[in-house]
Amino acid sequence: MGQCACFGGAEQERRAEADRAESQEARAKAAEAAQRRQEEFDRSAAGRAAKAQMKAMKEAKTSSNQGEPVLKWQMG
């Protein structure tokens, strides 16, 4: 025999709340893991190289040729 939906509502709501709590916990753990991976990358040689490259690119943008043409050529 089937049950009326009004009897199972509390159980469904409890289950939904448990699912939300599990999802929130999983997101928190994933964020912590991502933070740890980022910190490990920053400490690694590849991370330091990437940071240095980004810094060099930023400096190259700010100290460009100041309006002078990049390619110069002469007729002759």
Side-chain angles (χ1 to χ4, degrees), residues 3 6 25 40 49 54 63:
Q3 291 183 348
C6 57
E25 185 178 334
E40 289 173 8
M54 294 297 285
S63 63

Side-chain angles (χ1 to χ4, degrees), residues 21-38:
E22 287 177 16
S23 295
Q24 187 176 10
E25 185 178 334
R27 283 192 299 274
K29 285 183 181 181
E32 289 173 7
Q35 180 68 30
R36 263 186 273 120
R37 284 193 303 271
Q38 182 65 42

Side-chain angles (χ1 to χ4, degrees), residues 44-58:
S44 71
R48 290 191 306 269
K51 190 173 183 178
Q53 183 178 9
M54 294 297 285
K55 183 179 177 184
M57 287 174 50
K58 188 175 181 181

